Amino acid sequence: MLAKKHSRKTPMPEISDHPARYAMANELHARPFPTLTAPGQAVFLALKRESDAAGRDKAADIAQLIALLDRYGAPHPQPGATHYSGSIGKHEIKWESHTEFVTYTVFVQGAAERAFDPLWFSVFPQDWLDGLQDVRVTSALLHMEKQNEPAAIKRCLEAWFVPESLAVSYVLDSSAVIAGDFRIDPAGHMRLAVFLGEDTGSQRAGRILQRLCEIETYKSMSMLGFKRVRDMSATIGTLDQELTALISELDSDGFSAEQSLKHLLALSAGLERLSASSSFRFGATKAYEALVNQRIAVLREERFGGRQTFTEFMMRRFEPAMRTVGSTEARLGTLSDRALRASDLLRTHVDVERTAQNQSLLESMDKRADLQLRLQQTVEGLSVVAISYYGVNLLSYALYPVLKSIGVEKLWLTAGLTPLVVFAVWLMVRHIRKSMH
Protein backbone atom coordinates (compact mmCIF):
# COMPACT_ATOMS: atom_id res chain seq x y z
CA MET A 1 0.00 0.00 0.00
CA LEU A 2 2.86 2.33 0.86
CA ALA A 3 4.58 1.66 -2.49
CA LYS A 4 1.39 2.40 -4.37
CA LYS A 5 0.97 5.61 -2.45
CA HIS A 6 4.44 6.84 -3.41
CA SER A 7 3.97 5.82 -7.05
CA ARG A 8 1.17 8.27 -7.58
CA LYS A 9 2.04 11.36 -9.65
CA THR A 10 2.07 14.65 -7.79
CA PRO A 11 -0.11 17.19 -9.64
CA MET A 12 1.84 20.15 -11.00
CA PRO A 13 0.81 23.49 -9.51
CA GLU A 14 -0.95 25.84 -11.88
CA ILE A 15 0.91 29.09 -12.64
CA SER A 16 -0.57 32.07 -14.41
CA ASP A 17 1.50 33.12 -17.43
CA HIS A 18 2.19 36.69 -18.36
CA PRO A 19 0.00 37.51 -21.38
CA ALA A 20 3.07 38.22 -23.51
CA ARG A 21 5.21 35.30 -22.32
CA TYR A 22 4.95 33.14 -25.43
CA ALA A 23 5.11 36.12 -27.78
CA MET A 24 8.32 37.31 -26.12
CA ALA A 25 9.88 33.84 -26.25
CA ASN A 26 8.91 33.32 -29.89
CA GLU A 27 10.27 36.73 -30.87
CA LEU A 28 13.81 35.43 -30.23
CA HIS A 29 13.30 32.86 -32.99
CA ALA A 30 11.12 34.89 -35.34
CA ARG A 31 13.86 36.23 -37.62
CA PRO A 32 16.02 33.29 -38.68
CA PHE A 33 18.95 33.75 -41.04
CA PRO A 34 18.29 32.82 -44.66
CA THR A 35 19.71 29.59 -46.06
CA LEU A 36 21.56 30.23 -49.33
CA THR A 37 23.67 28.32 -51.80
CA ALA A 38 26.20 29.77 -54.20
CA PRO A 39 26.10 31.02 -56.84
CA GLY A 40 23.34 33.50 -56.11
CA GLN A 41 22.43 37.14 -55.78
CA ALA A 42 20.41 39.28 -53.43
CA VAL A 43 18.59 42.56 -53.93
CA PHE A 44 18.27 44.67 -50.82
CA LEU A 45 16.10 47.75 -50.21
CA ALA A 46 15.67 49.81 -47.02
CA LEU A 47 12.86 52.39 -46.85
CA LYS A 48 11.72 54.95 -44.27
CA ARG A 49 9.31 57.82 -43.93
CA GLU A 50 10.98 61.15 -44.62
CA SER A 51 9.72 62.61 -41.32
CA ASP A 52 8.48 61.13 -38.03
CA ALA A 53 9.52 57.66 -39.15
CA ALA A 54 9.40 56.25 -35.62
CA GLY A 55 5.79 57.39 -35.18
CA ARG A 56 4.56 56.20 -38.56
CA ASP A 57 1.53 53.99 -39.09
CA LYS A 58 2.93 50.44 -39.15
CA ALA A 59 -0.22 49.23 -40.90
CA ALA A 60 0.88 51.23 -43.95
CA ASP A 61 4.12 49.20 -44.02
CA ILE A 62 2.16 45.96 -44.18
CA ALA A 63 -0.14 47.37 -46.85
CA GLN A 64 2.94 48.31 -48.86
CA LEU A 65 4.28 44.75 -48.53
CA ILE A 66 0.90 43.25 -49.49
CA ALA A 67 0.82 45.43 -52.61
CA LEU A 68 4.14 43.87 -53.65
CA LEU A 69 3.07 40.32 -52.79
CA ASP A 70 -0.16 40.71 -54.78
CA ARG A 71 1.85 41.34 -57.93
CA TYR A 72 3.29 37.84 -57.54
CA GLY A 73 0.17 36.19 -56.12
CA ALA A 74 2.02 35.43 -52.88
CA PRO A 75 0.37 34.79 -49.49
CA HIS A 76 -0.15 37.73 -47.16
CA PRO A 77 1.53 38.24 -43.76
CA GLN A 78 -0.37 38.03 -40.50
CA PRO A 79 -2.05 41.28 -39.31
CA GLY A 80 0.38 43.33 -37.25
CA ALA A 81 3.39 41.30 -38.42
CA THR A 82 6.87 42.77 -38.06
CA HIS A 83 8.60 40.21 -40.30
CA TYR A 84 7.70 38.00 -43.23
CA SER A 85 9.39 35.37 -45.37
CA GLY A 86 7.95 33.75 -48.45
CA SER A 87 8.22 33.21 -52.18
CA ILE A 88 7.59 35.72 -54.94
CA GLY A 89 7.72 33.92 -58.23
CA LYS A 90 11.03 32.05 -58.50
CA HIS A 91 12.65 34.03 -55.69
CA GLU A 92 12.52 34.23 -51.92
CA ILE A 93 11.71 37.46 -50.09
CA LYS A 94 12.43 38.51 -46.51
CA TRP A 95 10.70 41.60 -45.09
CA GLU A 96 11.36 43.18 -41.72
CA SER A 97 9.84 46.18 -39.97
CA HIS A 98 12.11 48.14 -37.63
CA THR A 99 11.64 51.20 -35.43
CA GLU A 100 12.34 53.71 -38.21
CA PHE A 101 12.53 51.70 -41.41
CA VAL A 102 11.53 48.57 -43.27
CA THR A 103 13.78 46.29 -45.30
CA TYR A 104 13.12 44.07 -48.31
CA THR A 105 15.64 41.40 -49.27
CA VAL A 106 15.02 39.25 -52.35
CA PHE A 107 17.25 36.18 -52.82
CA VAL A 108 17.88 35.00 -56.36
CA GLN A 109 19.44 31.55 -56.70
CA GLY A 110 21.65 30.58 -59.64
CA ALA A 111 24.50 32.11 -61.60
CA ALA A 112 24.11 35.54 -63.19
CA GLU A 113 25.24 36.46 -66.68
CA ARG A 114 27.14 39.40 -65.19
CA ALA A 115 27.78 40.55 -61.66
CA PHE A 116 25.71 43.43 -60.24
CA ASP A 117 23.33 43.60 -63.17
CA PRO A 118 20.88 46.49 -62.53
CA LEU A 119 18.13 44.29 -63.99
CA TRP A 120 18.15 42.35 -60.72
CA PHE A 121 16.32 45.27 -59.14
CA SER A 122 13.36 44.71 -61.47
CA VAL A 123 12.08 42.17 -58.92
CA PHE A 124 10.51 45.33 -57.47
CA PRO A 125 7.97 46.40 -60.14
CA GLN A 126 8.31 49.99 -61.28
CA ASP A 127 4.68 50.86 -60.61
CA TRP A 128 5.10 49.56 -57.05
CA LEU A 129 8.21 51.70 -56.58
CA ASP A 130 6.38 54.73 -58.00
CA GLY A 131 3.60 54.32 -55.42
CA LEU A 132 5.85 54.21 -52.37
CA GLN A 133 5.18 56.76 -49.64
CA ASP A 134 8.62 56.10 -48.15
CA VAL A 135 12.04 57.20 -49.34
CA ARG A 136 15.04 54.98 -49.96
CA VAL A 137 17.64 54.89 -47.20
CA THR A 138 19.84 52.50 -49.12
CA SER A 139 19.67 49.76 -51.69
CA ALA A 140 22.29 47.16 -52.53
CA LEU A 141 23.08 44.42 -55.00
CA LEU A 142 24.87 41.47 -53.44
CA HIS A 143 26.76 38.93 -55.53
CA MET A 144 27.72 35.53 -54.11
CA GLU A 145 29.79 32.83 -55.74
CA LYS A 146 32.00 29.86 -54.91
CA GLN A 147 35.59 31.03 -55.20
CA ASN A 148 38.58 30.58 -52.91
CA GLU A 149 41.45 31.39 -55.27
CA PRO A 150 42.99 34.74 -54.14
CA ALA A 151 44.17 35.60 -57.65
CA ALA A 152 40.72 35.11 -59.16
CA ILE A 153 39.11 37.08 -56.35
CA LYS A 154 41.54 39.98 -56.91
CA ARG A 155 40.67 40.08 -60.62
CA CYS A 156 36.97 40.33 -59.73
CA LEU A 157 37.61 43.09 -57.21
CA GLU A 158 39.56 45.14 -59.71
CA ALA A 159 36.71 44.85 -62.22
CA TRP A 160 33.84 45.57 -59.84
CA PHE A 161 34.98 48.11 -57.24
CA VAL A 162 36.75 51.44 -56.78
CA PRO A 163 40.23 50.53 -55.43
CA GLU A 164 40.64 53.65 -53.26
CA SER A 165 37.70 52.82 -50.97
CA LEU A 166 37.62 49.03 -51.36
CA ALA A 167 37.38 47.01 -48.15
CA VAL A 168 38.08 43.27 -48.30
CA SER A 169 38.59 40.62 -45.64
CA TYR A 170 38.44 36.95 -44.80
CA VAL A 171 35.59 36.25 -42.37
CA LEU A 172 34.46 33.45 -40.07
CA ASP A 173 37.73 31.56 -39.90
CA SER A 174 38.55 32.20 -43.59
CA SER A 175 35.41 30.42 -44.74
CA ALA A 176 34.53 33.35 -47.01
CA VAL A 177 35.81 36.64 -48.42
CA ILE A 178 33.60 39.74 -48.29
CA ALA A 179 34.18 42.92 -50.29
CA GLY A 180 32.57 46.29 -50.92
CA ASP A 181 33.56 49.88 -51.68
CA PHE A 182 30.52 51.58 -50.07
CA ARG A 183 29.97 53.67 -53.19
CA ILE A 184 26.71 54.13 -55.09
CA ASP A 185 27.06 52.67 -58.58
CA PRO A 186 25.57 54.28 -61.74
CA ALA A 187 22.31 52.38 -61.20
CA GLY A 188 21.94 53.87 -57.70
CA HIS A 189 22.88 50.84 -55.61
CA MET A 190 25.67 49.73 -53.30
CA ARG A 191 27.70 46.70 -54.34
CA LEU A 192 28.72 43.92 -51.96
CA ALA A 193 30.40 40.65 -52.93
CA VAL A 194 30.78 37.36 -51.08
CA PHE A 195 33.23 34.66 -52.18
CA LEU A 196 32.56 31.36 -50.43
CA GLY A 197 35.00 28.55 -49.80
CA GLU A 198 34.20 25.07 -51.05
CA ASP A 199 33.29 23.84 -47.56
CA THR A 200 31.15 26.82 -46.53
CA GLY A 201 27.61 25.70 -45.81
CA SER A 202 24.35 27.31 -46.84
CA GLN A 203 23.49 28.48 -43.32
CA ARG A 204 26.82 30.24 -42.88
CA ALA A 205 26.41 31.82 -46.34
CA GLY A 206 23.00 33.13 -45.28
CA ARG A 207 24.43 34.62 -42.07
CA ILE A 208 27.20 36.40 -43.94
CA LEU A 209 24.80 37.87 -46.47
CA GLN A 210 22.42 38.97 -43.71
CA ARG A 211 25.27 40.64 -41.77
CA LEU A 212 26.36 42.58 -44.83
CA CYS A 213 22.83 43.88 -45.36
CA GLU A 214 22.64 44.92 -41.71
CA ILE A 215 26.01 46.67 -41.84
CA GLU A 216 24.95 48.67 -44.87
CA THR A 217 21.55 49.54 -43.36
CA TYR A 218 22.77 50.60 -39.93
CA LYS A 219 25.67 52.51 -41.46
CA SER A 220 23.24 54.46 -43.64
CA MET A 221 20.88 55.13 -40.74
CA SER A 222 23.82 56.33 -38.62
CA MET A 223 24.80 58.81 -41.29
CA LEU A 224 21.37 60.43 -40.97
CA GLY A 225 22.62 61.71 -37.61
CA PHE A 226 25.68 63.19 -39.33
CA LYS A 227 23.41 64.93 -41.86
CA ARG A 228 21.32 66.36 -39.02
CA VAL A 229 24.49 67.69 -37.38
CA ARG A 230 25.62 69.37 -40.59
CA ASP A 231 22.21 70.97 -41.05
CA MET A 232 22.13 72.39 -37.52
CA SER A 233 25.82 73.39 -37.21
CA ALA A 234 25.22 76.92 -38.54
CA THR A 235 22.36 77.48 -36.09
CA ILE A 236 24.43 76.19 -33.19
CA GLY A 237 27.30 78.47 -34.21
CA THR A 238 25.00 81.50 -34.28
CA LEU A 239 23.53 80.67 -30.87
CA ASP A 240 27.03 80.13 -29.49
CA GLN A 241 28.19 83.57 -30.70
CA GLU A 242 25.08 85.32 -29.38
CA LEU A 243 25.42 83.61 -26.00
CA THR A 244 29.11 84.53 -25.76
CA ALA A 245 28.35 88.16 -26.64
CA LEU A 246 25.55 88.30 -24.09
CA ILE A 247 27.78 86.92 -21.32
CA SER A 248 30.52 89.42 -22.25
CA GLU A 249 28.05 92.28 -21.72
CA LEU A 250 27.30 91.31 -18.13
CA ASP A 251 29.97 93.66 -16.72
CA SER A 252 29.85 96.35 -19.41
CA ASP A 253 28.62 99.94 -19.00
CA GLY A 254 25.03 100.56 -19.91
CA PHE A 255 24.16 96.93 -19.24
CA SER A 256 20.41 96.28 -18.96
CA ALA A 257 19.63 93.09 -17.08
CA GLU A 258 15.97 93.12 -18.11
CA GLN A 259 16.75 93.33 -21.83
CA SER A 260 19.55 90.77 -21.55
CA LEU A 261 17.26 88.40 -19.69
CA LYS A 262 14.70 88.60 -22.50
CA HIS A 263 17.45 87.94 -25.05
CA LEU A 264 18.70 85.00 -23.00
CA LEU A 265 15.22 83.52 -22.81
CA ALA A 266 15.02 83.62 -26.61
CA LEU A 267 18.44 81.92 -26.87
CA SER A 268 17.45 79.27 -24.34
CA ALA A 269 14.24 78.58 -26.25
CA GLY A 270 16.25 78.11 -29.45
CA LEU A 271 18.61 75.69 -27.70
CA GLU A 272 15.68 73.74 -26.26
CA ARG A 273 14.07 73.47 -29.70
CA LEU A 274 17.32 72.11 -31.14
CA SER A 275 17.71 69.65 -28.27
CA ALA A 276 14.13 68.45 -28.54
CA SER A 277 14.29 68.02 -32.32
CA SER A 278 17.63 66.21 -32.29
CA SER A 279 17.60 64.13 -29.09
CA PHE A 280 15.93 61.13 -30.76
CA ARG A 281 18.30 61.27 -33.74
CA PHE A 282 21.36 61.50 -31.48
CA GLY A 283 20.20 58.50 -29.47
CA ALA A 284 19.35 56.50 -32.58
CA THR A 285 22.72 57.31 -34.15
CA LYS A 286 24.54 55.91 -31.11
CA ALA A 287 22.46 52.74 -31.28
CA TYR A 288 23.03 52.27 -35.02
CA GLU A 289 26.77 52.93 -34.65
CA ALA A 290 26.98 50.24 -31.96
CA LEU A 291 25.13 47.81 -34.23
CA VAL A 292 27.49 48.48 -37.14
CA ASN A 293 30.51 47.77 -34.97
CA GLN A 294 28.90 44.69 -33.45
CA ARG A 295 27.90 43.23 -36.82
CA ILE A 296 31.43 43.68 -38.15
CA ALA A 297 32.96 42.22 -34.98
CA VAL A 298 30.98 38.97 -35.21
CA LEU A 299 32.39 38.36 -38.70
CA ARG A 300 35.87 37.92 -37.16
CA GLU A 301 37.76 39.62 -39.98
CA GLU A 302 41.25 38.72 -41.21
CA ARG A 303 43.25 40.73 -43.73
CA PHE A 304 43.05 39.73 -47.40
CA GLY A 305 45.84 40.61 -49.82
CA GLY A 306 47.04 43.63 -47.84
CA ARG A 307 43.70 45.42 -48.34
CA GLN A 308 41.89 47.38 -45.64
CA THR A 309 39.28 45.47 -43.70
CA PHE A 310 35.74 46.60 -43.05
CA THR A 311 36.82 47.56 -39.52
CA GLU A 312 39.60 49.76 -40.86
CA PHE A 313 37.31 51.36 -43.42
CA MET A 314 34.81 52.25 -40.70
CA MET A 315 37.58 53.53 -38.46
CA ARG A 316 38.87 55.88 -41.18
CA ARG A 317 35.60 56.95 -42.84
CA PHE A 318 32.66 56.16 -40.55
CA GLU A 319 33.91 56.79 -37.00
CA PRO A 320 34.97 60.43 -37.65
CA ALA A 321 31.41 61.19 -38.70
CA MET A 322 30.09 59.51 -35.57
CA ARG A 323 32.55 61.45 -33.40
CA THR A 324 31.26 64.63 -35.03
CA VAL A 325 27.73 63.67 -34.03
CA GLY A 326 28.88 62.96 -30.48
CA SER A 327 30.83 66.21 -30.21
CA THR A 328 27.87 68.21 -31.53
CA GLU A 329 25.58 66.59 -28.99
CA ALA A 330 28.09 67.46 -26.25
CA ARG A 331 28.41 71.01 -27.59
CA LEU A 332 24.66 71.45 -27.53
CA GLY A 333 24.58 70.22 -23.94
CA THR A 334 27.42 72.58 -23.01
CA LEU A 335 25.59 75.52 -24.58
CA SER A 336 22.46 74.64 -22.60
CA ASP A 337 24.53 74.54 -19.40
CA ARG A 338 26.13 77.89 -20.23
CA ALA A 339 22.74 79.41 -20.92
CA LEU A 340 21.51 78.08 -17.58
CA ARG A 341 24.49 79.56 -15.73
CA ALA A 342 24.08 82.88 -17.57
CA SER A 343 20.41 82.86 -16.61
CA ASP A 344 21.38 82.37 -12.97
CA LEU A 345 23.85 85.27 -13.20
CA LEU A 346 21.27 87.52 -14.82
CA ARG A 347 18.64 86.61 -12.27
CA THR A 348 21.15 87.39 -9.52
CA HIS A 349 21.95 90.69 -11.19
CA VAL A 350 18.26 91.53 -11.48
CA ASP A 351 17.70 90.55 -7.84
CA VAL A 352 20.57 92.80 -6.74
CA GLU A 353 19.18 95.69 -8.79
CA ARG A 354 15.72 95.16 -7.38
CA THR A 355 17.13 94.94 -3.85
CA ALA A 356 18.89 98.26 -4.40
CA GLN A 357 15.67 99.74 -5.79
CA ASN A 358 13.73 98.40 -2.83
CA GLN A 359 16.32 99.87 -0.43
CA SER A 360 16.04 103.24 -2.13
CA LEU A 361 12.27 102.96 -2.01
CA LEU A 362 12.37 102.14 1.69
CA GLU A 363 14.63 105.12 2.35
CA SER A 364 12.26 107.41 0.46
CA MET A 365 9.37 105.89 2.39
CA ASP A 366 11.20 106.58 5.65
CA LYS A 367 11.72 110.20 4.62
CA ARG A 368 8.10 110.45 3.60
CA ALA A 369 7.01 108.95 6.91
CA ASP A 370 9.21 111.39 8.78
CA LEU A 371 7.69 114.28 6.85
CA GLN A 372 4.24 112.93 7.53
CA LEU A 373 5.09 112.70 11.24
CA ARG A 374 6.27 116.27 11.31
CA LEU A 375 3.21 117.36 9.42
CA GLN A 376 1.05 115.43 11.83
CA GLN A 377 2.76 117.07 14.79
CA THR A 378 2.28 120.48 13.20
CA VAL A 379 -1.38 119.74 12.57
CA GLU A 380 -1.76 118.53 16.12
CA GLY A 381 -0.19 121.77 17.39
CA LEU A 382 -2.50 123.83 15.28
CA SER A 383 -5.41 121.71 16.40
CA VAL A 384 -4.55 122.41 20.04
CA VAL A 385 -4.46 126.14 19.33
CA ALA A 386 -7.75 126.07 17.39
CA ILE A 387 -9.58 123.95 19.95
CA SER A 388 -8.17 126.00 22.78
CA TYR A 389 -9.32 129.20 21.12
CA TYR A 390 -12.89 127.97 20.80
CA GLY A 391 -12.76 126.43 24.26
CA VAL A 392 -11.61 129.68 25.91
CA ASN A 393 -14.35 131.64 24.13
CA LEU A 394 -17.04 129.18 25.15
CA LEU A 395 -15.93 129.14 28.79
CA SER A 396 -15.62 132.91 28.81
CA TYR A 397 -19.21 133.28 27.61
CA ALA A 398 -20.34 130.68 30.13
CA LEU A 399 -18.47 132.05 33.21
CA TYR A 400 -18.48 135.77 32.59
CA PRO A 401 -22.10 136.46 33.77
CA VAL A 402 -21.29 134.65 37.05
CA LEU A 403 -17.90 136.28 37.66
CA LYS A 404 -19.05 139.75 36.58
CA SER A 405 -21.06 140.03 39.78
CA ILE A 406 -17.85 139.78 41.82
CA GLY A 407 -16.11 142.36 39.71
CA VAL A 408 -13.96 140.15 37.43
CA GLU A 409 -13.35 141.71 34.09
CA LYS A 410 -13.75 139.63 30.91
CA LEU A 411 -10.15 140.35 29.86
CA TRP A 412 -8.79 138.87 33.08
CA LEU A 413 -11.18 135.99 32.85
CA THR A 414 -9.95 135.15 29.35
CA ALA A 415 -6.33 135.50 30.43
CA GLY A 416 -6.88 133.13 33.29
CA LEU A 417 -8.78 130.53 31.30
CA THR A 418 -6.36 130.41 28.35
CA PRO A 419 -3.44 128.43 29.95
CA LEU A 420 -5.88 126.12 31.69
CA VAL A 421 -7.79 125.33 28.48
CA VAL A 422 -4.63 124.96 26.42
CA PHE A 423 -3.19 122.52 28.94
CA ALA A 424 -6.43 120.55 29.06
CA VAL A 425 -6.66 120.32 25.26
CA TRP A 426 -3.00 119.26 25.05
CA LEU A 427 -3.62 116.44 27.55
CA MET A 428 -6.68 115.34 25.60
CA VAL A 429 -4.78 115.19 22.26
CA ARG A 430 -1.90 113.33 23.89
CA HIS A 431 -4.31 110.77 25.32
CA ILE A 432 -5.95 110.24 21.96
CA ARG A 433 -2.57 109.74 20.22
CA LYS A 434 -1.47 107.17 22.83
CA SER A 435 -4.73 105.26 22.54
CA MET A 436 -4.28 105.05 18.73
CA HIS A 437 -0.80 103.49 19.10
Side-chain angles (χ1 to χ4, degrees):
M1 293 294 293
L2 185 61
K4 289 182 179 180
K5 184 177 181 179
H6 281 288
S7 64
R8 292 176 182 175
K9 292 183 179 180
T10 303
M12 296 296 292
E14 293 186 1
I15 304 176
S16 298
D17 285 329
H18 188 282
R21 181 190 175 209
Y22 286 94
M24 291 186 293
N26 294 334
E27 183 65 24
L28 300 177
H29 311 284
R31 304 180 189 229
F33 289 107
T35 301
L36 303 174
T37 56
Q41 296 81 41
V43 180
F44 178 76
L45 177 63
L47 302 169
K48 73 179 290 290
R49 291 295 168 90
E50 195 165 3
S51 61
D52 192 25
R56 71 190 186 280
D57 181 11
K58 299 295 182 68
D61 295 340
I62 297 179
Q64 186 174 271
L65 170 64
I66 291 174
L68 176 63
L69 297 176
D70 285 345
R71 283 163 171 78
Y72 291 92
H76 290 182
Q78 294 294 325
T82 58
H83 46 81
Y84 172 85
S85 296
S87 299
I88 51 171
K90 300 182 296 182
H91 316 309
E92 297 294 320
I93 187 172
K94 181 177 182 180
W95 173 86
E96 292 183 327
S97 175
H98 300 265
T99 303
E100 288 192 89
F101 59 93
V102 294
T103 59
Y104 296 80
T105 311
V106 178
F107 304 100
V108 182
Q109 297 289 352
E113 294 184 4
R114 67 187 182 100
F116 306 109
D117 190 339
L119 290 177
W120 298 353
F121 208 74
S122 61
V123 295
F124 299 114
Q126 188 59 48
D127 63 328
W128 180 80
L129 293 172
D130 293 338
L132 292 176
Q133 298 180 5
D134 300 341
V135 294
R136 173 169 55 178
V137 177
T138 187
S139 61
L141 303 177
L142 297 98
H143 176 79
M144 183 173 61
E145 63 179 60
K146 288 280 186 180
Q147 183 60 260
N148 57 6
E149 290 293 330
I153 293 175
K154 287 180 180 180
R155 287 194 296 271
C156 292
L157 299 180
E158 291 173 357
W160 297 341
F161 299 107
V162 177
E164 188 271 332
S165 57
L166 176 62
V168 191
S169 60
Y170 286 110
V171 294
L172 300 181
D173 305 319
S174 300
S175 61
V177 174
I178 61 174
D181 58 8
F182 298 98
R183 293 181 179 271
I184 300 176
D185 69 9
H189 312 298
M190 295 289 181
R191 294 182 174 187
L192 295 165
V194 181
F195 302 93
L196 301 175
E198 292 297 330
D199 299 329
T200 304
S202 58
Q203 291 184 341
R204 174 164 285 190
R207 287 199 299 272
I208 293 172
L209 204 66
Q210 180 70 27
R211 295 306 185 201
L212 289 177
C213 293
E214 291 172 346
I215 291 170
E216 170 56 28
T217 305
Y218 294 132
K219 181 265 297 178
S220 299
M221 292 298 298
S222 298
M223 294 303 291
L224 292 179
F226 181 66
K227 179 186 180 299
R228 174 68 63 84
V229 164
R230 294 180 67 177
D231 292 343
M232 64 192 295
S233 60
T235 303
I236 293 177
T238 301
L239 291 174
D240 191 357
Q241 292 176 0
E242 291 182 4
L243 182 59
T244 301
L246 187 147
I247 294 174
S248 300
E249 293 174 356
L250 291 179
D251 57 352
S252 62
D253 296 334
F255 167 71
S256 173
E258 296 287 349
Q259 292 296 326
S260 297
L261 190 56
K262 291 180 180 179
H263 188 192
L264 181 60
L265 288 175
L267 288 176
S268 299
L271 288 171
E272 285 301 318
R273 282 194 297 270
L274 279 180
S275 298
S277 64
S278 58
S279 59
F280 176 81
R281 180 51 52 203
F282 285 150
T285 298
K286 289 180 182 178
Y288 294 137
E289 178 191 5
L291 287 170
V292 169
N293 294 329
Q294 188 267 343
R295 295 299 191 267
I296 294 176
V298 297
L299 290 174
R300 303 194 301 274
E301 289 186 287
E302 299 175 27
R303 192 175 301 281
F304 174 88
R307 293 281 188 174
Q308 66 178 346
T309 62
F310 277 55
T311 300
E312 290 171 337
F313 176 89
M314 294 300 175
M315 182 177 64
R316 293 179 56 242
R317 310 291 182 90
F318 176 70
E319 288 187 11
M322 297 301 100
R323 285 195 295 269
T324 300
V325 175
S327 65
T328 301
E329 181 182 12
R331 183 185 180 190
L332 192 57
T334 301
L335 281 176
S336 297
D337 292 339
R338 287 175 59 196
L340 182 61
R341 291 194 298 270
S343 178
D344 291 339
L345 287 173
L346 278 173
R347 278 196 294 267
T348 303
H349 198 289
V350 170
D351 291 342
V352 170
E353 284 187 350
R354 288 177 177 172
T355 301
Q357 292 174 356
N358 291 338
Q359 184 67 29
S360 176
L361 180 61
L362 288 174
E363 291 176 357
S364 65
M365 290 176 65
D366 288 342
K367 292 180 180 179
R368 191 176 296 110
D370 186 57
L371 290 174
Q372 288 178 347
L373 179 61
R374 292 181 182 179
L375 181 61
Q376 180 181 353
Q377 292 174 345
T378 302
V379 171
E380 288 177 357
L382 294 174
S383 299
V384 170
V385 172
I387 295 172
S388 299
Y389 173 78
Y390 288 106
V392 168
N393 287 331
L394 289 173
L395 287 175
S396 296
Y397 284 117
L399 297 176
Y400 181 68
V402 177
L403 297 178
K404 183 179 180 182
S405 61
I406 62 175
V408 178
E409 296 291 335
K410 185 175 182 180
L411 180 63
W412 292 105
L413 176 62
T414 303
L417 288 174
T418 298
L420 295 175
V421 172
V422 169
F423 182 70
V425 172
W426 178 81
L427 288 177
M428 181 186 66
V429 172
R430 182 181 179 188
H431 177 72
I432 293 173
R433 185 168 64 243
K434 284 185 176 180
S435 63
M436 292 177 64
H437 290 294

